[in-house]
Amino acid sequence: MGGIFANRESLMHIVLWRRLDREGHDVCRYSEISDGWNFEGVAVFDHAGSAANLSYSVSCDRDWRSRSAAVSGWIGETVFNLAIEREHAANWRVNGTIDPALAGLDDIDLGFTPASNTNAIRRMNLSEGAGTDCVAVWLDTEDWAVKRLPQSYHRIGQRTFAYVSPQHDYRATLVTDEFGVVVEYPGLWTAISRN
């Protein structure tokens, strides 16, 4: 059957979240592609009293190692465009310029969406009881700059992870669904629809 639903079989997972710390929503679609995974979505939220509307797309290899991310939209009256790309095995380009501080990192974490916890969770593939420290290529929503973000994940149950972000003094138990998408992000996000 053709028409607008012709590519429906390629969809893997769709999630709609509601933001808990301020007004906002995010919707994301995870898809398997020929050489890996892609997820793309749109987040609309209040940012410091201004409306924000950001579209994002993240590409990962077959092992969920992040390859690139693109973010575009606006935050209040400010137009925002960002491109993060892995160059070869270790280096990252941010809007075309190599950032040596990001060398060797595996995961992209877009600070305005819970969607980008999935790539880390799926890549690490921790067994129950196991944990690890890692550092992500992180988009900081305080100044909208790309930085390093130390964090740790410890799998404490089939679908639960003890998550720590030391930089923010944040500790929480993240609850995921069977795909590895965070459905409960205490104080920040909750999933309200999944398919």
Side-chain angles (χ1 to χ4, degrees):
M1 182 175 181
I4 61 172
F5 297 109
N7 294 324
R8 185 175 174 94
E9 67 276 3
S10 68
L11 302 184
M12 291 294 297
H13 204 63
I14 300 173
V15 183
L16 173 64
W17 293 277
R18 180 172 52 86
R19 194 156 178 166
L20 301 175
D21 62 333
R22 62 188 72 172
E23 293 296 323
H25 286 85
D26 187 345
V27 63
C28 181
R29 179 180 71 177
Y30 297 84
S31 304
E32 187 171 14
I33 56 178
S34 62
D35 61 347
W37 301 88
N38 186 70
F39 58 95
E40 56 190 346
V42 177
V44 291
F45 55 96
D46 172 76
H47 180 73
S50 295
N53 179 346
L54 295 174
S55 298
Y56 58 90
S57 178
V58 177
S59 173
C60 302
D61 67 16
R62 296 219 56 84
D63 296 322
W64 287 90
R65 198 168 141 226
S66 299
R67 294 188 293 209
S68 65
V71 181
S72 63
W74 40 266
I75 305 148
E77 297 179 359
T78 303
V79 173
F80 185 82
N81 288 292
L82 173 69
I84 305 171
E85 298 174 290
R86 183 187 296 276
E87 183 181 75
H88 308 300
N91 292 324
W92 289 93
R93 288 188 179 273
V94 178
N95 287 336
T97 301
I98 291 178
D99 185 340
L102 306 177
L105 305 184
D106 288 320
D107 304 310
I108 292 174
D109 186 331
L110 302 177
F112 62 88
T113 173
S116 54
N117 288 91
T118 298
N119 43 315
I121 288 169
R122 294 287 301 258
R123 179 189 63 78
M124 291 183 290
N125 194 25
L126 296 171
S127 57
E128 200 166 323
T132 188
D133 295 330
C134 56
V135 180
V137 176
W138 175 55
L139 174 59
D140 183 351
T141 60
E142 290 299 314
D143 58 6
W144 299 98
V146 177
K147 305 172 181 177
R148 296 170 60 91
L149 179 68
Q151 50 191 344
S152 68
Y153 291 84
H154 182 202
R155 191 169 199 163
I156 56 176
Q158 184 178 8
R159 294 184 183 164
T160 53
F161 294 81
Y163 172 77
V164 179
S165 174
Q167 183 171 321
H168 302 102
D169 196 26
Y170 180 83
R171 297 173 178 271
T173 298
L174 307 183
V175 180
T176 70
D177 64 12
E178 67 286 348
F179 190 78
V181 169
V182 176
V183 294
E184 293 296 334
Y185 205 133
L188 296 175
W189 296 94
T190 187
I192 55 177
S193 175
R194 293 178 291 131
N195 63 316

